[in-house]
Amino acid sequence: MTSRVSAKLWIAAAVWVVPLWVIRYLPMVDYPQQLAMASILRYYGDPARHLQEAYQLALLRPQGLFEIVTAGLAWLVPIEAAGKVVISLSLIFVLPATAALCRRTGRPDWYALFALAVTFNHAFYWGFADNLLAYPLVLAGGALADRLFDPLSGRRFGPREWLLVAGCGLLFYAIHLQFLLIYAGLVTWLALVRRPGLRDLAVRLSALVPGLALGVGVLGWIHLHHEEVMTGYQDRLQASQPYYADAAEKIGKIPAHLFGDYEGGAQYMLFAVLLLALLALCVPFPRRPDADWREGLLFRSRFLVPALGLLVLFFMLPEFAGGYFVSERLIPLIFMLLVPCLPVPGPARWRAVALLLGGLLVLQLGQTLAAFLRFGAESAGLHELLESAEPGQPLAGLMYRKTGSDWVSVPVMIHFPAYYQVEKGGRIHFSFVQFFNSPLRYRPGRNWEDGLLAEWDEWTPQKFSYPRHGRHFRYFLVYGGPENLATAFGPYLAGLRVRAAGRWYLVERR
């Protein structure tokens, strides 16, 4: 029975990522930039792309795993397919990681479908690939630590176990430093609830030292070498003031954090179905008699307490602080950690819960697939325009329309100019190479974007001045309407070559 159920879960996870493969370009804000950096790593030696002229490799910098893995996979498949494979796996692995947690708490494996249902979430649509990789690693790392710390497992916490916990922590250096802190907090709590002696506690927590030391050490090095590492763009970003929302506003946005911020409000319908499934599971709350010390309050709450602690952080953290840890990214992980805390009622109630959960998955998958197909139609024509451009040239993006028709507040088009770099190399006006956690850096004197971005950036195409800024670029990628062309180039448009496809315009300086 277990193998059959597991096979069904894997099939469900495979079907879940079908929307990623029905269109060419994904509706993810930051994803094109991260894919562009992966393409630079993959085609770094291609002379037609002129990448070595502007960039140097910085593979030891933190949070570059997505780019490095995608670049390596792109030796076997096209770079666009490599990126989709990595994103697909990050969503799929939420299911076995959550199932491992459920097994640790005596819950059925199919509870993991609750976590799978919220993988097309805020972090996904904003293209936070590092967060998508971090979610299943936090869950799997928690399940691993819980098993290795279990005194009833019949094994002691020896060197092999120490290396497994430490290795998991070190992985966060390459994925996301701030999720390293979440992992460290979770592992610390899992060690404390076992009530070990001071010596055993010190040995277990010492496994966190390599990851924390590496992360803190690198951040300290960056602080000491600030002028060398930080670009002017990132300095200006960090100087921006954070925005603190009140509790009622944050609560009202939880459905969008779990399911995406849809124009028609579909996230509220999905959230309502999710609540009905949880109510069917939890009301009335089934009680289980304590069997032994393992069923004590602290032990039973070993995943609930970290989830509640992250919920407190969600209400305390700002919405935007220097471009880093924003609170919305926590909500999906909080819910995933709550899944193994759900009660276990009798089989009669399972049928009602399974029916509601199945309905939620079908509705969510249908909504996602329909939205992706509409977005595919909106972004149509870009590939044909990019195919007509020469490789290795400088290109600037002017995204006058930033959002897709299906999402309210997600500017999914903002970084689409990076797809030129994915397919052709060259340079783009704004690049994530501006950030210290990029696996690339500019060669000395080659970051001419600092001056340009101080006057006009990817968010403010209306500040673009062709007489002042145009000389830096061979191509301009415009998304909008004919009126936006006139606004951007004015009387100079007559002397430029313009190609159009769909809502896209590729303007070339002769």
Side-chain angles (χ1 to χ4, degrees):
M1 176 63 71
T2 300
S3 61
R4 288 199 299 270
V5 171
S6 297
K8 292 177 181 178
L9 290 179
W10 280 113
I11 293 171
V15 172
W16 192 249
V17 298
V18 166
L20 299 177
W21 297 90
V22 299
I23 57 176
R24 185 178 187 90
Y25 301 113
L26 300 179
M28 303 172 70
V29 178
D30 286 357
Y31 175 75
Q33 290 282 359
Q34 293 167 319
L35 191 63
M37 289 192 291
S39 72
I40 295 173
L41 297 178
R42 165 62 180 87
Y43 301 108
Y44 189 67
D46 186 348
R49 296 188 176 226
H50 300 292
L51 297 171
Q52 294 188 22
E53 299 172 8
Y55 305 109
Q56 291 177 326
L57 300 181
L59 300 180
L60 296 181
R61 289 189 176 183
Q63 299 179 203
L65 185 66
F66 172 81
E67 291 84 357
I68 294 172
V69 171
T70 302
L73 189 59
W75 286 92
L76 303 176
V77 297
I79 186 74
E80 294 91 345
K84 288 184 178 182
V85 167
V86 177
I87 294 296
S88 297
L89 292 177
S90 72
L91 303 187
I92 289 173
F93 283 164
V94 165
L95 188 141
T98 309
L101 282 180
C102 290
R103 286 192 292 271
R104 292 300 307 161
T105 59
R107 272 59 177 176
D109 286 4
W110 62 266
Y111 275 24
L113 292 173
F114 279 105
L116 189 68
V118 299
T119 50
F120 287 110
N121 52 42
H122 172 89
F124 176 86
Y125 286 110
W126 276 88
F128 299 147
D130 297 337
N131 293 168
L132 297 179
L133 291 172
Y135 290 154
L137 185 59
V138 170
L139 301 173
L144 175 67
D146 190 61
R147 180 171 64 86
L148 297 179
F149 293 165
D150 190 347
L152 301 183
S153 65
R155 70 167 77 188
R156 70 183 186 89
F157 191 79
R160 178 178 175 272
E161 289 74 19
W162 189 95
L163 288 173
L164 287 172
V165 176
C168 189
L170 286 169
L171 271 177
F172 282 99
Y173 174 82
I175 294 177
H176 204 290
L177 288 177
Q178 288 157 331
F179 278 78
L180 168 62
L181 301 179
I182 293 176
Y183 170 74
L186 177 60
V187 170
T188 300
W189 178 251
L190 292 176
L192 288 172
V193 297
R194 306 285 183 178
R195 295 180 291 183
L198 289 179
R199 181 180 177 278
D200 289 341
L201 180 63
V203 170
R204 294 173 184 182
L205 296 187
S206 68
L208 298 172
V209 171
L212 292 172
L214 182 60
V216 172
V218 167
L219 292 177
W221 181 87
I222 290 171
H223 179 74
L224 293 175
H225 297 81
H226 181 274
E227 293 185 0
E228 176 187 345
V229 176
M230 294 292 190
T231 63
Y233 178 87
Q234 190 164 18
D235 278 336
R236 291 191 297 274
L237 187 66
Q238 288 187 298
S240 61
Q241 293 298 315
Y243 163 63
Y244 290 88
D246 58 43
E249 183 180 350
K250 288 200 169 190
I251 292 173
K253 291 183 177 179
I254 286 177
H257 301 338
L258 289 174
F259 298 108
D261 195 6
Y262 285 101
E263 178 70 36
Q267 67 270 21
Y268 299 106
M269 175 191 66
L270 296 170
F271 188 66
V273 178
L274 175 62
L275 287 181
L276 287 175
L278 294 177
L279 285 173
L281 193 62
C282 300
V283 179
F285 194 89
R287 297 183 178 275
R288 300 171 62 198
D290 290 347
D292 51 39
W293 73 270
R294 288 175 47 126
E295 295 297 327
L297 178 61
L298 280 180
F299 187 84
R300 288 203 306 261
S301 66
R302 66 192 187 278
F303 296 113
L304 177 62
V305 169
L308 294 179
L310 290 177
L311 187 62
V312 172
L313 281 179
F314 167 71
F315 286 105
M316 292 178 59
L317 288 174
E319 298 303 305
F320 182 84
Y324 297 114
F325 209 11
V326 289
S327 61
E328 294 96 329
R329 311 182 196 191
L330 294 178
I331 287 296
L333 180 60
I334 292 169
F335 180 77
M336 293 171 188
L337 282 173
L338 288 174
V339 169
C341 307
L342 296 173
V344 183
R349 282 169 59 189
W350 279 2
R351 297 188 188 96
V353 174
L355 181 63
L356 288 167
L357 179 56
L360 172 64
L361 292 170
V362 170
L363 288 173
Q364 168 72 316
L365 185 61
Q367 173 68 31
T368 304
L369 184 59
F372 274 43
L373 290 173
R374 286 190 290 268
F375 182 77
E378 290 181 72
S379 58
L382 176 60
H383 179 66
E384 290 73 15
L385 288 184
L386 296 182
E387 279 289 300
S388 68
E390 292 185 19
Q393 303 298 312
L395 176 142
L398 298 169
M399 302 292 101
Y400 286 94
R401 178 174 177 176
K402 301 177 179 63
T403 61
S405 60
D406 277 273
W407 298 280
V408 177
S409 60
V410 185
V412 290
M413 294 294 187
I414 192 74
H415 294 308
F416 261 54
Y419 278 116
Y420 171 80
Q421 198 166 51
V422 172
E423 300 185 17
K424 297 289 185 173
R427 301 188 65 183
I428 52 178
H429 169 227
F430 172 72
S431 169
F432 272 19
V433 182
Q434 295 287 345
F435 298 117
F436 79 90
N437 54 349
S438 163
L440 298 155
R441 63 181 179 181
Y442 288 107
R443 291 189 178 276
R446 299 297 292 172
N447 187 11
W448 45 256
E449 282 100 334
D450 268 357
L452 290 175
L453 287 173
E455 301 178 9
W456 143 65
D457 61 26
E458 73 279 17
W459 295 95
T460 56
Q462 66 274 11
K463 293 184 179 180
F464 170 72
S465 169
Y466 181 75
R468 183 172 178 81
H469 306 129
R471 60 186 176 86
H472 295 283
F473 305 99
R474 168 79 178 276
Y475 294 109
F476 305 89
L477 184 64
V478 182
Y479 187 71
E483 68 280 3
N484 300 128
L485 283 178
T487 299
F489 301 100
Y492 303 96
L493 188 62
L496 303 173
R497 182 182 180 186
V498 180
R499 305 184 190 93
R503 296 174 179 173
W504 297 97
Y505 299 90
L506 185 65
V507 182
E508 180 182 359
R509 291 176 61 226
R510 294 184 186 274

